[in-house]
Amino acid sequence: MRYLFVKALVIGLLATPTVFAEEQESFGEVVTEKNESICKKKFTQELFTQQRIFSSTRNGADNRRIAERKIEAAREKYNLTASYCDAYNELKSFNPENLDRKPGDAQFN
């Protein structure tokens, strides 16, 4: 009898956090197509990825230049719109017209 009581208590304690977690999720952020907090996390991750590509000497000059241009375009987009979603979309979809050097670019050998 005591064993069944302890077992029911343990199962009840294990189930309780999941019930509260489900309730908390229902009152949390509304996930929409353009949710700034989600976009901010994605933007940050992608920006770090592009920064690693840009900083690594293992990547060729063209890959590093593309990463540099993507970062620049995303920052400009954020400065114009103040939206992480717009900046993230720009970072993911930007393709430079050419890779010629321009003022302010890093100088690769």
Side-chain angles (χ1 to χ4, degrees):
M1 182 77 167
R2 179 185 247 175
Y3 171 75
L4 292 176
F5 177 73
V6 171
K7 185 177 177 181
L9 183 63
V10 169
I11 291 173
L13 289 175
L14 292 174
T16 303
T18 58
V19 169
F20 289 130
E22 289 174 13
E23 277 185 35
Q24 198 172 27
E25 286 178 18
S26 67
F27 296 113
E29 292 181 85
V30 177
V31 179
T32 62
E33 187 175 325
K34 201 169 183 179
N35 188 319
E36 285 296 314
S37 64
I38 292 172
C39 290
K40 183 177 181 180
K41 290 175 188 173
K42 288 181 177 182
F43 173 73
T44 303
Q45 291 171 346
E46 184 62 26
L47 189 66
F48 284 145
T49 298
Q50 293 301 320
Q51 184 64 43
R52 282 194 304 270
I53 292 169
F54 171 72
S55 299
S56 177
T57 57
R58 293 180 181 174
N59 295 320
D62 287 349
N63 288 337
R64 294 174 74 189
R65 180 82 63 218
I66 291 168
E68 181 180 27
R69 298 280 168 81
K70 283 184 171 191
I71 292 168
E72 179 185 4
R75 287 179 178 162
E76 287 175 3
K77 188 66 156 185
Y78 182 78
N79 286 337
L80 290 173
T81 63
S83 168
Y84 286 105
C85 292
D86 292 341
Y88 175 70
N89 289 335
E90 186 73 18
L91 190 59
K92 291 296 283 183
S93 64
F94 182 78
N95 286 319
E97 294 174 9
N98 61 40
L99 298 178
D100 297 336
R101 287 186 179 174
K102 62 182 190 179
D105 281 350
Q107 304 299 314
F108 301 120
N109 294 334

